[in-house]
């Protein structure tokens, strides 16, 4: 079970959104008191000091703040879609196969941000530094697979036609793919990629 929450309210930061999500959706283990303290590891990965069985990660870009939360280790990254030197960045940080794929891509902007956010969501799940992105994993958008990382779930979304968001989820003790359920508050997250299988997506508005 994975909850994804987001906001365009500049007054709500990642920590506030995480506390709100924990209290609203994990009321059996989270409350106002034990969500007060959020610490970070040496590379900046946040965690609830007093709730060991709940994981979250967050990201902010432009006006979007979004978090992912689960009882399993998770990571999330978001990027605002804008023009960059895509191939120069890819040559430096991506695998040769990813770089060659992007050179031929007819949708370079979308593919670049998909690969980048997938890689960074993994780095953030592991609590590593950004430079570790170079040796992290390989994204094969042509075959729609993630290479060299087993027991992980990945998904990528387009949000508001302005952002690319990717998540990474540790599914090591998940026995069946049907047990991967994404809970979202509305239809703003448009799923464009998932590996190894498409998840069950539930809209909380229709469940309440």
């Amino acid at each position: 079970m994975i909850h994804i929450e987001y906001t365009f309210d500049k007054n709500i930061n990642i920590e506030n959104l995480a506390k709100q999500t924990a209290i609203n959706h994990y009321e059996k283990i989270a409350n106002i008191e034990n969500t007060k303290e959020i610490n970070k590891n040496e590379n900046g990965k946040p965690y609830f000091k007093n709730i060991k069985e709940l994981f979250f990660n967050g990201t902010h870009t432009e006006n979007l703040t979004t978090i992912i939360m689960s009882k399993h280790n998770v990571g999330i990254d978001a990027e605002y879609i804008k023009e960059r030197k895509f191939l120069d960045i890819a040559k430096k940080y991506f695998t040769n196969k990813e770089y060659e794929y992007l050179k031929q891509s007819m949708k370079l902007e979308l593919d670049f941000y998909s690969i980048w956010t997938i890689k960074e969501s993994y780095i953030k799940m592991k609590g590593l530094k950004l430079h570790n992105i170079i040796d992290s994993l390989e994204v094969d958008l042509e075959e729609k697979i993630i290479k060299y990382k087993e027991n992980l779930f990945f998904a990528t979304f387009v949000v508001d036609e302005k952002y690319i968001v990717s998540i990474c989820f540790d599914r090591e003790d998940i026995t069946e793919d049907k047990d991967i359920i994404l809970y979202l508050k509305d239809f703003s997250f448009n799923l464009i990629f998932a590996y190894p299988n498409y998840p069950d997506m539930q809209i909380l508005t229709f469940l309440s």
Side-chain angles (χ1 to χ4, degrees), residues 1-6 153-159 165 167 177-195 197-207:
M1 185 169 66
I2 309 164
H3 281 88
I4 300 175
E5 288 285 349
Y6 76 95
F153 168 80
F154 296 89
T156 300
F157 308 84
V158 175
V159 180
V165 178
I167 64 171
D177 289 328
K178 66 180 181 62
D179 293 328
I180 298 179
I181 305 173
L182 298 184
Y183 290 98
L184 303 109
K185 69 178 182 180
D186 55 34
F187 291 101
S188 296
F189 277 59
N190 178 27
L191 183 67
I192 60 171
F193 174 86
Y195 178 81
N197 293 299
Y198 275 68
D200 179 5
M201 296 176 63
Q202 303 284 339
I203 305 300
L204 291 172
T205 305
F206 294 96
L207 297 177

Side-chain angles (χ1 to χ4, degrees), residues 7 13-16 55-56 63-64 76 80 94 104 108 111 113-115 120 128 138 152 166 184 194 200:
T7 182
N13 61 26
I14 289 171
E15 292 191 358
N16 291 336
F55 300 85
F56 78 93
N63 296 321
L64 174 68
I76 188 170
Y80 179 70
F94 292 179
Q104 307 299 321
L108 177 60
D111 288 342
Y113 281 117
S114 295
I115 294 174
E120 192 164 346
L128 301 174
E138 184 170 272
L152 295 176
S166 289
L184 303 109
D200 179 5

Side-chain angles (χ1 to χ4, degrees), residues 1 3 17-20 31 65 72 76 84 95 98 104 121 124 172 181 186-187 194 201 207:
M1 185 169 66
H3 281 88
L17 191 58
K19 292 175 182 179
Q20 175 185 323
N31 54 57
T65 298
H72 303 266
I76 188 170
R84 293 185 177 181
T95 68
E98 292 165 342
Q104 307 299 321
S121 71
K124 294 176 70 175
E172 185 171 359
I181 305 173
D186 55 34
F187 291 101
M201 296 176 63
L207 297 177

Side-chain angles (χ1 to χ4, degrees), residues 7-203:
T7 182
F8 293 109
D9 186 341
K10 294 182 179 180
N11 295 315
I12 301 177
N13 61 26
I14 289 171
E15 292 191 358
N16 291 336
L17 191 58
K19 292 175 182 179
Q20 175 185 323
T21 302
I23 293 170
N24 289 346
H25 301 299
Y26 297 89
E27 65 275 3
K28 290 184 178 180
I29 58 174
N31 54 57
I32 293 176
E33 288 302 316
N34 65 12
T35 58
K36 280 184 177 179
E37 291 190 65
I38 293 178
N39 291 347
K40 294 182 180 180
N41 75 0
E42 63 273 16
N43 295 324
K45 182 179 181 180
Y47 61 92
F48 290 114
K49 179 181 178 180
N50 298 311
I51 314 177
K52 304 302 181 184
E53 63 269 48
L54 191 59
F55 300 85
F56 78 93
N57 198 234
T59 183
H60 172 80
T61 179
E62 288 293 316
N63 296 321
L64 174 68
T65 298
T66 181
I67 65 109
I68 181 173
M69 186 169 292
S70 176
K71 291 183 180 180
H72 303 266
N73 200 9
V74 287
I76 188 170
D77 185 54
E79 296 290 339
Y80 179 70
I81 299 172
K82 63 182 180 181
E83 186 62 36
R84 293 185 177 181
K85 295 181 178 179
F86 298 118
L87 292 179
D88 289 347
I89 297 171
K91 189 172 185 179
K92 181 176 180 180
Y93 290 103
F94 292 179
T95 68
N96 185 63
K97 186 170 184 178
E98 292 165 342
Y99 173 66
E100 292 297 326
Y101 175 83
L102 289 178
K103 284 171 62 177
Q104 307 299 321
S105 175
M106 301 299 292
K107 49 185 192 311
L108 177 60
E109 193 174 66
L110 179 64
D111 288 342
F112 171 86
Y113 281 117
S114 295
I115 294 174
W116 180 273
T117 56
I118 287 171
K119 286 173 174 285
E120 192 164 346
S121 71
Y122 169 76
I123 293 300
K124 294 176 70 175
M125 184 202 73
K126 299 293 288 184
L128 301 174
K129 293 183 177 180
L130 182 59
H131 69 76
N132 295 117
I133 200 170
I134 298 173
D135 301 314
S136 57
L137 47 78
E138 184 170 272
V139 183
D140 190 332
L141 293 180
E142 186 172 14
E143 298 294 330
K144 299 188 182 302
I145 61 174
I146 308 291
K147 295 183 178 179
Y148 314 128
K149 296 300 171 188
E150 302 297 328
N151 298 318
L152 295 176
F153 168 80
F154 296 89
T156 300
F157 308 84
V158 175
V159 180
D160 198 35
E161 299 183 355
K162 298 177 182 178
Y163 305 90
I164 302 293
V165 178
S166 289
I167 64 171
C168 179
F169 169 76
D170 186 347
R171 59 191 291 274
E172 185 171 359
D173 57 350
I174 301 294
T175 56
E176 298 185 35
D177 289 328
K178 66 180 181 62
D179 293 328
I180 298 179
I181 305 173
L182 298 184
Y183 290 98
L184 303 109
K185 69 178 182 180
D186 55 34
F187 291 101
S188 296
F189 277 59
N190 178 27
L191 183 67
I192 60 171
F193 174 86
Y195 178 81
N197 293 299
Y198 275 68
D200 179 5
M201 296 176 63
Q202 303 284 339
I203 305 300

